[in-house]
Amino acid sequence: MLDVSPLFQPLAVGSKTLPNRIVMPPMVVNRGISTRAACDWYGQHAQAGAGLVIVEATNVTGFAGRYGAADLAPLAEAIHAGGALAALQLFPGARGQTTAPADLTRLQIDELVRGYAAAAAICAEAGFDGVEIHGAHGFLLNQFFSPEKNARRDAYGDTLAGRMALAVRIARAVREALPADTLLLYRHTPVGPGYSLEESLELGQELVDTGVQILDLSPSSIEEPGDHAAPFKALGVPLITVNDLDDVARALTVLREGRADLVAVGRGLIADPLWPAKVRQGRLDEIVTCTKCDHCFVDLRAEQPVGCVQWPRG
Ligand SMILES: Cc1cc2nc3c(=O)[nH]c(=O)nc-3n(C[C@H](O)[C@H](O)[C@H](O)COP(=O)(O)O)c2cc1C
């Protein structure tokens, strides 16, 4: 019988307390963020026991024109009603946009930074406990960090400091736009095209110095669960790790070995939204296990509400 209690220890971060170590990572599920369907989807995951629900990547471009605090408050409330903390991931630009770092003018960079700050302020006013900057997975901010993707020769490229500059500037602008008690998270890919874990640690340090309170490393379970998160422990902020951690033994290894503080379960929560409750109650044999068929990605690309073939109700 597995001792699952490490997954159910609270964690204090800033002035907030996460009720447990289970995170629903950001996943675009094509239900919007100001809709009833979004409240139902994210609310049910909070109800089932995820401790921190990070709402999907949402474009900062046009955010402030599209949403006001009143539009997003129901989603934050639905997540809170389930007992979880609520965060929202802010995406650098418009999804599907193929802009490369070198394409952006200085004015467009300024606009992006302003877009982040404005969106973050709206999220905080709506009642979200945190916002996450999406700097991972080869998207724009991650490209700025990659020497293979960033061909700029100005202050936003060229050197390591230059490749870090936009991420740090956005983190600073978002921190300044947020009330002191709203958490700032940053999602980063530890190893990417042309950059190493060592360089990522330097970025992590800069981000922490700028006020980032939780580092979300993705992907970060490469050979072993949480192995690419563990080096960031030295930075002294809570870490989220991810990848196939719906396997309860793998999730527990991360916590037992101290490789990260929080485990994110993505596709596993689409396959079985009741995963946290079943784990807590020791009903492991009742979990509908994600088969990694990635049908959810098919829904994602088809712009259909994302679900699991095994759990059509999801
Ligand atoms: C349908 C779907 C949508 C996703 N959307 C996002 C997103 O909006 N932002 C992000 O950073 N990652 C996104 N991801 C990646 C997940 O957050 C997570 O890192 C990934 O699924 C690996 O975790 P897992 O093995 O537990 O599924 C998405 C994944 C899926 C399956």
Side-chain angles (χ1 to χ4, degrees):
M1 184 77 179
L2 282 176
D3 171 16
V4 298
S5 62
L7 280 165
F8 297 95
Q9 303 304 314
L11 180 73
V13 189
S15 60
K16 309 275 181 188
T17 301
L18 284 70
N20 62 46
R21 306 306 179 95
I22 301 167
V23 176
M24 181 179 195
M27 290 185 289
V28 171
V29 288
N30 296 328
R31 287 168 173 79
I33 59 169
S34 59
T35 59
R36 179 67 194 266
C39 294
D40 290 348
W41 172 261
Y42 289 106
Q44 73 167 345
H45 282 96
Q47 197 81 47
L52 170 63
V53 171
I54 307 178
V55 173
E56 65 199 60
T58 306
N59 302 331
V60 294
T61 304
F63 190 103
R66 216 163 148 206
Y67 306 111
D71 301 310
L72 301 183
L75 181 53
E77 276 162 26
I79 295 169
H80 288 156
L85 295 192
L88 187 142
Q89 189 187 51
L90 293 173
F91 188 79
R95 225 180 151 79
Q97 203 178 48
T98 51
T99 317
D103 299 337
L104 261 69
T105 64
R106 293 294 273 259
L107 282 177
Q108 286 171 317
I109 288 180
D110 294 347
E111 207 179 307
L112 182 63
V113 175
R114 275 198 304 273
Y116 260 101
I122 292 166
C123 291
E125 198 188 332
F128 280 87
D129 305 284
V131 296
E132 179 172 89
I133 298 167
H134 192 339
H137 302 167
F139 291 114
L140 190 65
L141 295 188
N142 197 202
Q143 289 175 23
F144 266 84
F145 189 61
S146 161
E148 284 181 21
K149 306 286 177 190
N150 185 346
R152 299 181 76 97
R153 292 293 166 261
D154 64 359
Y156 292 100
D158 208 15
T159 61
L160 175 59
R163 289 187 278 118
M164 298 195 293
L166 181 57
V168 172
R169 188 174 161 203
I170 288 175
R172 183 172 303 116
V174 170
R175 185 68 273 169
E176 283 169 6
L178 291 175
D181 64 348
T182 307
L183 298 175
L184 176 56
L185 296 79
Y186 192 100
R187 196 169 218 202
H188 174 67
T189 298
V191 177
Y195 72 84
S196 61
L197 200 53
E198 285 66 35
E199 286 191 334
S200 284
L201 286 168
E202 293 204 38
L203 173 65
Q205 183 68 65
E206 287 286 324
L207 292 171
V208 169
D209 291 347
T210 310
V212 168
Q213 290 154 292
I214 298 180
L215 282 172
D216 180 359
L217 289 323
S218 170
S220 57
S221 302
I222 309 300
E223 304 285 339
E224 297 285 331
D227 56 351
H228 275 195
F232 293 84
K233 278 298 236 187
L235 304 182
V237 293
L239 308 176
I240 302 176
T241 186
V242 69
N243 303 114
D244 303 334
L245 300 178
D246 54 329
D247 176 328
V248 181
R250 279 170 59 83
L252 288 167
T253 300
V254 165
L255 298 178
R256 241 194 343 260
E257 306 273 324
R259 295 180 196 160
D261 308 273
L262 296 156
V263 296
V265 177
R267 289 163 299 171
L269 289 188
I270 296 177
D272 191 342
L274 296 177
W275 188 94
K278 289 178 180 173
V279 173
R280 189 167 46 79
Q281 294 158 10
R283 294 157 53 206
L284 302 191
D285 52 344
E286 290 176 39
I287 290 172
V288 180
T289 305
C290 170
T291 61
K292 320 297 174 202
C293 76
D294 284 346
H295 186 83
C296 47
F297 279 112
V298 176
D299 286 342
L300 171 67
R301 285 187 216 105
E303 299 187 5
Q304 293 300 314
V306 170
C308 179
V309 286
Q310 304 185 85
W311 190 290
R313 286 175 288 158

